[in-house]
Amino acid sequence: MNQVEGLVIREAAGEDFIQIRPLIVKRAEELKLSDGSVSDINKLVRDYCSKPAKFYCLVCELDTKVIGYVIYTFGFCVHQGRSISLDEFYVVPDYRKAAQLLLFKRIVEITHNFGHLRLAWLSSKNSLEMHEFWVKHGTTVHSEDQGYLQYRLDKSTIQERHCPGSN
């Protein structure tokens, strides 16, 4: 399944967390992580809808059903400048081939459009599929710590591979 008609990537709305939270739990189960620390829906909505928001979220939906999401925050590093940190990135298995790259490209586009110099995240070493996906799309493994790999996509790679002609 390479392309699905009707696939939409958009900013999440508070009511989307009714569908997002079970996906967060499912992702934790797939990676053999504890799901006991996943915030309840009310806390997710409260933190997402607060001013300023504690985190940002995009959803990938098909016919009003959320099939994927990315949760991210804006950050700053005194050495690198502004950046985006991915906290969660997940697409249900049946739609990964169709939706995963689109969702990734959208967060890379946001990083680029805001003039951020880096997109960074941690990913469990339990996910070989995601490791292959990240590396295939130009990310580098920056470090390894306690069962996680830290990935980065810097400004030059974003411009060269994902947003050519936008310098």
Side-chain angles (χ1 to χ4, degrees), residues 14 17-19 21-22 39-46:
F17 286 93
I18 293 168
Q19 295 183 65
R21 188 182 185 284
S39 296
D40 67 33
I41 292 171
N42 292 329
K43 179 159 178 32
L44 288 167
V45 171
R46 187 173 52 250

Side-chain angles (χ1 to χ4, degrees), residues 30 91 93 96-97 100 126-135:
E30 284 181 15
V91 176
R96 284 188 182 146
K97 286 189 177 168
Q100 196 163 262
N126 295 342
S127 181
L128 180 60
E129 177 187 356
M130 285 309 297
H131 173 75
E132 291 172 351
F133 174 82
W134 298 132
V135 171

Side-chain angles (χ1 to χ4, degrees), residues 76-137:
F76 183 81
C77 172
V78 295
H79 303 286
Q80 296 275 324
R82 294 176 292 169
S83 64
I84 288 182
S85 296
L86 294 184
D87 186 56
E88 292 275 329
F89 184 99
Y90 183 76
V91 176
V92 296
D94 291 346
Y95 296 100
R96 284 188 182 146
K97 286 189 177 168
Q100 196 163 262
L101 182 57
L102 293 174
L103 194 56
F104 180 63
K105 283 186 174 198
R106 181 66 185 117
I107 193 65
V108 169
E109 182 181 281
I110 289 169
T111 304
H112 177 73
N113 289 346
F114 275 95
H116 288 37
L117 301 177
R118 180 177 60 191
L119 178 62
W121 62 98
L122 294 175
S123 187
S124 171
K125 287 172 60 175
N126 295 342
S127 181
L128 180 60
E129 177 187 356
M130 285 309 297
H131 173 75
E132 291 172 351
F133 174 82
W134 298 132
V135 171
K136 178 180 177 182
H137 295 289

Side-chain angles (χ1 to χ4, degrees), residues 3 20 29-30 68 70 74 76 82 102 166:
Q3 197 169 16
I20 295 169
E29 290 169 353
E30 284 181 15
V70 60
F74 293 99
F76 183 81
R82 294 176 292 169
L102 293 174
S166 63

